[in-house]
Amino acid sequence: MNGIKDGVAIVTGGGSGIGRQTALRFAEEEASVVVADIDEEGGDETVELIQGDGGEATFVRTDVTDSDDVDAMVQTALDEYGGLDFAHNNAGIADEGTRLAEYDEAAWDRMIDINLKGVWRCLKAEIPEMADRGGGAIVNTSSVAGVSANGSAHYAASKHGVIGLTRRATVDYAEDGIRFNAVCPGVIDTPMVQQAGEDNTEEMERITAGIPAGRLGDPQEIASTVVWLCSEDASYVMGQPIVIDGGLLAQ
Ligand SMILES: NC(=O)c1ccc[n+]([C@@H]2O[C@H](COP(=O)([O-])OP(=O)(O)OC[C@H]3O[C@@H](n4cnc5c(N)ncnc54)[C@H](O)[C@@H]3O)[C@@H](O)[C@H]2O)c1
């Protein structure tokens, strides 16, 4: 893909699932990757996978609910690789599958703090560095729950919010040469979904049967879209939620 080689990318939630595959894909295209995750073991594993393939990567333990951690994450890109060109703000927690009146305020706060405010913290730290460098590209992970009534209300609200952030950041920072887009995955075969499947096999079979593709998505199918969105091949794609869902929402 054009324009990824020799760039510097941050991937949050890079220790597992979709984020790990994006980190691997960036490295395959010869970008240097800062793998950020609250999970040190998973993050280290991603770095080992990249280095094992001859790529360049560094892990930095980051909790996206902590502004100091997020600032240190961006600083790692500057210290290790001299700048920042791309970011995939992807760290998130799963839908809890409960109805609005069934969870308490603490569950609401946690969901919003990680899935929505976490993306805002990352944007706030990443944008000035990209602007100073003359531009960049950022992809935020939303969900089909960001554009439809899939998922529980607090999860859906957080993922709708990610699209709002993405659109407004586009308008605010287009003049600085930064492009922002969001990916909206359907049901993707990652540890997050595997856990839900183990908890309720019948429900997972029902969900799979409802996907026109007849299968779950592979995290690589999200990763390739994220890296394409960051590439010059997508130079005029700005402020868009890109749905990648095996036809789920086409119905
Ligand atoms: N798998 C799906 O079907 C699906 C569908 C739509 C959207 N998504 C979204 O995709 C993103 C990635 O999910 P996944 O399926 O790869 O899940 P995953 O659980 O495999 O990976 C999520 C990663 O985020 C990290 N993380 C969680 N809280 C964090 C925090 N506070 N700070 C830093 N890192 C944190 C976890 O440690 C984990 O490594 C999430 O935002 C999720 O909401 C997933």
Side-chain angles (χ1 to χ4, degrees):
M1 280 181 245
N2 285 314
I4 302 293
K5 190 173 182 305
D6 297 330
V8 181
I10 286 176
V11 181
T12 72
S16 178
I18 292 169
R20 170 173 288 174
Q21 290 307 320
T22 305
L24 288 166
R25 193 77 183 85
F26 269 124
E28 219 176 90
E29 296 287 334
E30 297 180 57
S32 301
V33 189
V34 174
V35 176
D37 204 295
I38 198 168
D39 171 12
E40 295 187 28
E41 210 179 305
D44 283 339
E45 261 176 41
T46 302
V47 167
E48 281 162 25
L49 287 168
I50 290 173
Q51 290 173 343
D53 286 341
E56 184 59 52
T58 305
F59 172 67
V60 57
R61 188 199 170 276
T62 309
D63 180 346
V64 297
T65 68
D66 183 327
S67 295
D68 291 340
D69 271 17
V70 171
D71 289 345
M73 169 186 88
V74 170
Q75 193 58 46
T76 301
L78 309 185
D79 293 346
E80 294 288 324
Y81 303 119
L84 180 63
D85 303 292
F86 315 116
H88 183 200
N89 299 320
N90 163 79
I93 54 170
D95 189 353
E96 289 171 345
T98 42
R99 291 193 300 163
L100 194 152
E102 292 163 2
Y103 49 84
D104 60 17
E105 197 168 332
W108 165 271
D109 285 345
R110 182 165 178 267
M111 184 70 79
I112 299 299
D113 200 20
I114 299 173
N115 284 12
L116 178 57
K117 199 171 173 189
V119 172
W120 172 79
R121 288 186 191 92
C122 291
L123 291 170
K124 191 165 163 33
E126 293 156 357
I127 286 169
E129 299 308 329
M130 288 188 184
D132 277 356
R133 203 161 153 95
I138 298 182
V139 178
N140 300 318
T141 298
S142 177
S143 166
V144 288
V147 289
S148 71
N150 279 276
S152 53
H154 56 343
Y155 184 79
S158 73
K159 294 300 188 180
H160 274 72
V162 167
I163 293 173
L165 281 179
T166 305
R167 288 187 169 134
R168 188 62 229 183
T170 296
V171 175
D172 284 344
Y173 291 101
E175 65 186 19
D176 292 288
I178 309 173
R179 287 186 304 106
F180 302 82
N181 289 287
V183 284
C184 301
V187 190
I188 311 302
D189 191 9
T190 69
M192 185 183 275
V193 163
Q194 286 153 10
Q195 183 60 51
E198 278 166 29
D199 294 347
N200 192 338
T201 321
E202 264 178 38
E203 174 68 358
M204 194 45 71
E205 281 169 9
R206 192 190 60 76
I207 289 172
T208 308
I211 301 170
R215 62 173 177 85
L216 303 188
D218 190 296
Q220 292 183 12
E221 293 173 297
I222 310 302
S224 55
T225 306
V226 172
V227 179
W228 171 73
L229 284 168
C230 288
S231 78
E232 282 167 17
D233 298 337
S235 51
Y236 207 52
V237 184
M238 294 170 68
Q240 291 304 308
I242 309 290
V243 175
I244 310 156
D245 70 346
L248 184 66
L249 296 190
Q251 300 173 97

